Amino acid sequence: MAIEIKVPALGESVTSATVGKWLKQPGDAVAVDEPVVELETDKVTVEVPAPATGVLESHVAKEGDEVEVGAVLATLSEGAKAASKPAAAPAPKAEAPVAAKKPAPAASEAPSETDYDIVVIGAGPGGYVCAIRAAQLGFKVACVEKRATLGGTCLNVGCIPSKALLQSSENYHAAKTEFATHGIDIEGIKLNLAQMQKRKSGIVEANVKGVEYLFKKNGITWLKGEGKIQGTGKLTVAGKPVTAKHIIIASGSDSAGLKGVDVDEKTIVTSTGALELSAVPKKLVVIGGGVIGLELGSVWHRLGADVTVIEFLDRLIPGTDNEIEAAFRKILTKQGLKLKLGHKVTKAEKTGKGVKLSVEPSAGGAVETLDADIVLLAIGRTAASENMGLKEAGIALDNRGRIEVDDHFATSAPGIYAIGDVIRGPMLAHKAEEEGVAVAEILAGQAGHVNYDAIPGVIYTWPEVATVGFSEEQLKEKGVAYKVGKFPFMANGRARALGMTDGFVKVIADAKTDRVLGVHIIGPCAGELIAECTMAIEFGASSEDIGRVCHAHPTLSEAVKEAALGVNGGSLNI
């Protein structure tokens, strides 16, 4: 069966190209990922690789033709069938294209026949979604996972369990402090932490079992064990050899360490240990004022812990719009979290009662000590790229240990790709998912693409913080003229009815075109409200477009409409 070689995605807003030069002629043997044709646009020249090893059958497009993204350029006879064609050399040996340009070990030679079309290493959101999409596209797929369950960090010890505890702790806090204002008087409220943890575990189990079901439904093989790259088309899983036409690395990330702070997951914990505490600590110190630290700090604060957050910078959640961060910091302080900004921890000493921390100003100064029952180390995450045989396989890493990839997720080793936390960009589950879908579609000859300017980020504290697109500070740095519209939840009828009036919506639009450039929300259900704004940015909408869309009344989403109207001074309810 012939494989079609198609015009790939060519970049943002680029929909067509000109066929420049054919690098392979009908009858030529080609290796997987070997360049077949050059395409030219007004911006770049792009080499289109062969999606599989075989023999080029025919050119569908001629040199000089204008071709659209997704159009068929040529057809290819794959694998053993191609070897029997007269035009091909007897029993051709498929070599990776880069091998001809740069010497590589014998391990880099691609096998002529493979166990799978695609093997994905890692079954987190990026990996399992990639595997499912690849299977939908007709590939024979396997997914490598060393955990006892599928779903990666996110489903097992990250996004899902943390959101379960966040919801339970919100309910507990509301019952204790807020229900009375609704006319609901409850006596004798007490915390049953064991039941709360049991509920969380049940949610995790349901989610990971769900992924296992999806693997079976889509015919995906789960290869259990640790995966190591051996070269193009080759890897081992639990020490056993496996071959594939394409390998996609989706190994995710690990909690970052800090010199002088030794994690034992008992008294000094990462997010993993913080999700499993069997008792509420009297004093919890969180090292790191980012998303993970603030979310888990909020959980234990609501349940009764005295929480202090130590952050090296003089602000929380770096990269967030300054106005949003300032409001967020004010609200968290009002809630009772103690924020020690512009400070660093230099030492953590375990004692019989807990942990004694040495803390000093980030710029240097007098050292002070803080005592804690539990210390949560949450200074970020690092790419999980070690002990996988990457360097030995010729896969380049950057200075932060992330795998270097091109705009089509290809690594420096032929036939090997990478997505998610292990490559550049925000470490977000949904970013990894989008990349997983994109690379699967690219390998199928489709126009897989990710718009990195339209990836939302959410902090699931109370109130929630959600953002998409550019902040004011980023636009100022770029020299882009812009306008801002804001609307407070205090002026929103639904927010008043809910008793959740903290925060506001902020819409930023281009001063000349009115195109939405960024939206930032702090307030109730911000993580849900940001979806409308992400779609607006993805499709190039103006603030007027959002403002002219009819929003149901009374809803929180009306605050988004009002903020959009406010960009041009047209807010109606303030």
Side-chain angles (χ1 to χ4, degrees), residues 168-169 172-173 191 193 196 280 298-305:
S168 294
S169 65
Y172 174 72
H173 184 264
L191 174 65
L193 183 57
M196 192 177 288
V280 178
S298 293
V299 166
W300 295 108
H301 176 66
R302 292 174 194 146
L303 299 181

Side-chain angles (χ1 to χ4, degrees), residues 58-342:
S58 65
H59 294 165
V60 176
K62 302 186 299 294
E63 291 182 357
D65 283 357
E66 187 78 9
V67 288
E68 300 289 324
V69 169
V72 178
L73 293 166
T75 57
L76 177 77
S77 291
E78 182 185 10
K81 291 182 180 179
S84 65
K85 289 187 174 286
K93 193 175 187 180
E95 292 190 350
V98 175
K101 301 175 184 178
K102 185 173 72 172
S108 292
E109 296 178 357
S112 59
E113 295 185 10
T114 58
D115 300 318
Y116 301 95
D117 297 322
I118 293 175
V119 170
V120 182
I121 301 178
Y128 82 72
V129 168
C130 178
I132 291 171
R133 183 61 183 137
Q136 290 175 341
L137 291 168
F139 291 106
K140 183 181 180 183
V141 183
C143 188
V144 180
E145 178 52 57
K146 61 185 178 182
R147 290 179 184 272
T149 52
L150 300 172
T153 295
C154 178
L155 272 63
N156 287 276
V157 292
C159 316
I160 299 304
S162 65
K163 302 317 168 274
L165 287 184
L166 278 160
Q167 185 60 54
S168 294
S169 65
E170 283 178 19
N171 291 345
Y172 174 72
H173 184 264
K176 282 190 68 176
T177 65
E178 298 170 10
F179 280 9
T181 63
H182 292 267
I184 305 171
D185 294 325
I186 305 175
E187 295 182 2
I189 295 175
K190 63 179 182 178
L191 174 65
N192 184 341
L193 183 57
Q195 173 57 31
M196 192 177 288
Q197 291 284 23
K198 181 180 178 181
R199 173 183 179 273
K200 176 209 70 180
S201 297
I203 292 169
V204 169
E205 183 179 6
N207 277 273
V208 299
K209 290 289 186 183
V211 177
E212 192 170 343
Y213 162 76
L214 290 172
F215 271 27
K216 292 177 181 177
K217 175 185 175 183
N218 289 281
I220 299 165
T221 301
W222 175 7
L223 300 176
K224 301 181 180 181
E226 188 170 1
K228 289 192 175 183
I229 305 291
Q230 302 298 314
T232 295
K234 302 175 183 178
L235 69 156
T236 59
V237 180
K240 297 179 181 179
V242 177
T243 57
K245 295 173 187 174
H246 310 287
I247 298 172
I248 301 170
I249 303 169
S251 50
S253 59
D254 299 312
S255 294
L258 181 63
K259 185 179 179 181
V261 182
D262 297 325
V263 172
D264 61 7
E265 296 295 9
K266 294 179 180 179
T267 55
I268 301 178
V269 300
T270 64
S271 55
T272 300
L275 290 166
E276 298 296 332
L277 299 181
S278 58
V280 178
K282 292 182 179 179
K283 289 186 178 182
L284 171 67
V285 172
V286 179
I287 305 175
V291 177
I292 295 172
L294 294 176
E295 286 185 355
L296 292 176
S298 293
V299 166
W300 295 108
H301 176 66
R302 292 174 194 146
L303 299 181
D306 180 286
V307 177
T308 300
V309 178
I310 302 172
E311 168 55 46
F312 184 86
L313 301 177
D314 59 0
R315 56 163 294 158
L316 300 172
I317 45 175
T320 304
D321 183 272
N322 284 352
E323 191 173 10
I324 292 288
E325 188 275 338
F328 188 40
R329 185 172 4 125
K330 184 176 180 181
I331 292 170
L332 292 180
T333 300
K334 184 178 178 182
Q335 289 176 358
L337 272 75
K338 299 172 184 176
L339 306 177
K340 203 169 186 62
L341 306 181

Side-chain angles (χ1 to χ4, degrees), residues 397-410:
L397 305 177
D398 66 16
N399 59 4
R400 294 172 59 182
R402 300 176 301 187
I403 297 174
E404 293 185 346
V405 296
D406 65 14
D407 291 340
H408 294 91
F409 309 103

Side-chain angles (χ1 to χ4, degrees), residues 28-52:
D28 286 351
V30 295
V32 61
D33 288 332
E34 186 173 7
V36 172
V37 62
E38 288 183 352
L39 299 180
E40 299 173 354
T41 73
D42 58 352
K43 297 180 179 179
V44 295
T45 297
V46 178
E47 291 184 343
V48 179

